[in-house]
Amino acid sequence: MKDILTLGIETSCDETSVAVVKNGREVLSNIIDTQIPIHEKYGGVVPEIASRNHIEAISRVTKLALKTANVGLKDIDAVTPTYGPGLVGALLVGVSYAKALSYAIKKPLVGVNHIEGHIAANYLTYKELKPPFLCLLISGGNTAIVNVKDYTEFEVLGKTRDDAVGEAFDKVARVVGLDYPGGPKVDKLAKEGTANINLPKTHFENSLDFSFSGIKTAVININHNTKNINKADLCASFEKAVTEVLIENVQQALKQTGLKTLAIAGGVSANSYIRQAILNLENENLKVYMPDLKLCTDNAAMIASSRIL
Ligand code: KG4
């Protein structure tokens, strides 16, 4: 059978990324041009600035992705941009560029849902992974427990009712004085602390939904009201409480569905404490999958693999 090469394009937030993926599983190139240094000084992503930088980067990043993969546009079988969810102006840059490219090379345009892309990152790390499995999706914009019934069939079993877990990490980071994006910095600082501060953990009765606004507010108040608070202890306590909530809901979802395979996805799945907690769940009845660290946060390889499996 002929190999299928997809050109993935990801511009949903602050990364301009283009990738070439073979048969939905093999990454030939995955160029990520990050805007983090540009947005750092604002403490978060500024949508208009993100869009403008995507426009400046997209052609250069595409050329580099093709060159790195050692292929030309004539070899591409489908163009797959992220169509949403994300920042609308930023998405528009990737989708418009992909549309023009697909028209010019006369190859199909296949829009990809960003969340489904995050889940597909697991297929790039584990060639043998097949649905059905349960996926804990934890990113900057979303938090959900998803029953992956088939490659393109998903059932959301529970989701956040307010903040995404990554959003809470970034807010806590800002409160304790760490730069954007704060998640990785909270992860690092927490290692130097002890989880000795009691924080609220929200559970809903008969529901797998999450809520992280309460714990976020508690961290803000404790930080504000306690003199000489140990910031490492506060980060460690926050990380532990959030992880416990995630794990409890995941265990409940595994019980409800009877699934024996668990994957994680999204930027926060790069968190070392959460990865260890997920790994601890593995036993003879449960197999655990975690994407490579570089595939956890936004990238176009996961987008290119999502619809061609
Ligand atoms: O998946 P992603 O790249 O973007 C979205 O699709 O939302 O996730 C970005 C989020 C940010 O909130 C960032 O702080 C968080 O992932 N993140 C982490 C870690 N690495 C990235 N959070 C906690 N620990 C980490 N090591």
Side-chain angles (χ1 to χ4, degrees):
M1 220 170 70
K2 182 193 170 301
D3 288 329
I4 302 288
L5 293 193
T6 40
L7 186 81
I9 298 179
E10 158 61 34
T11 62
S12 68
C13 193
D14 57 348
E15 258 93 36
T16 315
S17 180
V18 180
V20 180
V21 169
K22 187 159 116 185
N23 300 328
R25 299 262 173 172
E26 194 186 330
V27 182
L28 302 188
S29 65
N30 188 20
I31 310 299
I32 304 168
D33 191 272
T34 185
Q35 300 179 15
I36 286 175
I38 298 168
H39 298 281
E40 228 166 21
K41 57 179 172 287
Y42 304 103
V45 180
V46 183
E48 179 61 22
I49 294 177
S51 310
R52 285 167 189 258
N53 280 283
H54 285 309
I55 292 171
E56 281 180 17
I58 190 90
S59 286
R60 171 172 47 82
V61 175
T62 304
K63 281 182 194 150
L64 187 56
L66 290 166
K67 192 171 167 217
T68 308
N70 204 16
V71 298
L73 275 175
K74 63 177 183 341
D75 304 309
I76 298 299
D77 297 292
V79 184
T80 61
T82 302
Y83 69 75
L87 303 173
V88 73
L91 286 164
L92 207 54
V93 176
V95 170
S96 308
Y97 191 84
K99 273 186 175 178
L101 213 54
S102 123
Y103 184 73
I105 64 173
K106 299 187 175 62
K107 291 290 163 61
L109 177 83
V110 186
V112 173
N113 177 294
H114 183 76
I115 311 297
E116 294 177 16
H118 272 303
I119 295 172
N122 282 284
Y123 300 127
L124 294 170
T125 303
Y126 304 99
K127 313 276 181 256
E128 76 285 3
L129 177 63
K130 289 191 180 100
F133 59 87
L134 192 76
C135 187
L136 173 66
L137 178 93
I138 40 179
S139 73
N142 296 275
T143 301
I145 297 183
V146 183
N147 182 352
V148 183
K149 295 182 165 180
D150 208 336
Y151 289 111
T152 55
E153 199 191 334
F154 307 89
E155 185 189 359
V156 177
L157 303 175
K159 59 181 181 345
T160 181
R161 295 191 184 181
D162 41 55
D163 294 344
V165 69
E167 228 174 312
F169 263 95
D170 292 339
K171 184 72 192 186
V172 165
R174 190 164 357 161
V175 163
V176 301
L178 301 169
D179 295 340
Y180 174 85
K185 286 154 196 149
V186 170
D187 189 351
K188 199 162 161 231
L189 186 58
K191 288 197 174 78
E192 295 166 24
T194 310
N196 54 8
I197 301 166
N198 209 10
L199 292 169
K201 289 185 277 178
T202 307
H203 287 285
F204 297 103
E205 220 170 298
N206 301 322
S207 167
L208 293 172
D209 281 355
F210 298 101
S211 164
F212 298 107
S213 64
I215 187 167
K216 185 185 76 179
T217 308
V219 170
I220 294 170
N221 289 340
I222 290 170
N223 187 64
H224 185 71
N225 296 327
T226 318
K227 250 191 170 173
N228 301 325
I229 183 92
N230 183 320
K231 302 206 188 278
D233 289 352
L234 193 54
C235 287
S237 307
F238 166 77
E239 205 175 62
K240 181 166 179 278
V242 162
T243 305
E244 281 170 3
V245 171
L246 294 173
I247 296 288
E248 276 170 41
N249 282 16
V250 161
Q251 281 180 312
Q252 192 58 37
L254 286 168
K255 210 155 113 193
Q256 264 180 34
T257 55
L259 289 165
K260 303 266 180 276
T261 310
L262 170 68
I264 57 172
V268 185
S269 63
N271 181 272
S272 55
Y273 189 85
I274 295 175
R275 285 174 92 86
Q276 189 54 52
I278 292 285
L279 211 55
N280 291 346
L281 294 178
E282 195 163 57
N283 58 40
E284 65 269 24
N285 292 317
L286 183 70
K287 183 96 186 83
V288 162
Y289 293 91
M290 293 185 285
D292 282 347
L293 284 180
K294 62 178 184 305
L295 294 171
C296 288
T297 41
D298 290 351
N299 69 90
M302 69 183 198
I303 301 300
S305 78
S306 171
R307 287 274 138 178
I308 321 285
L309 291 158

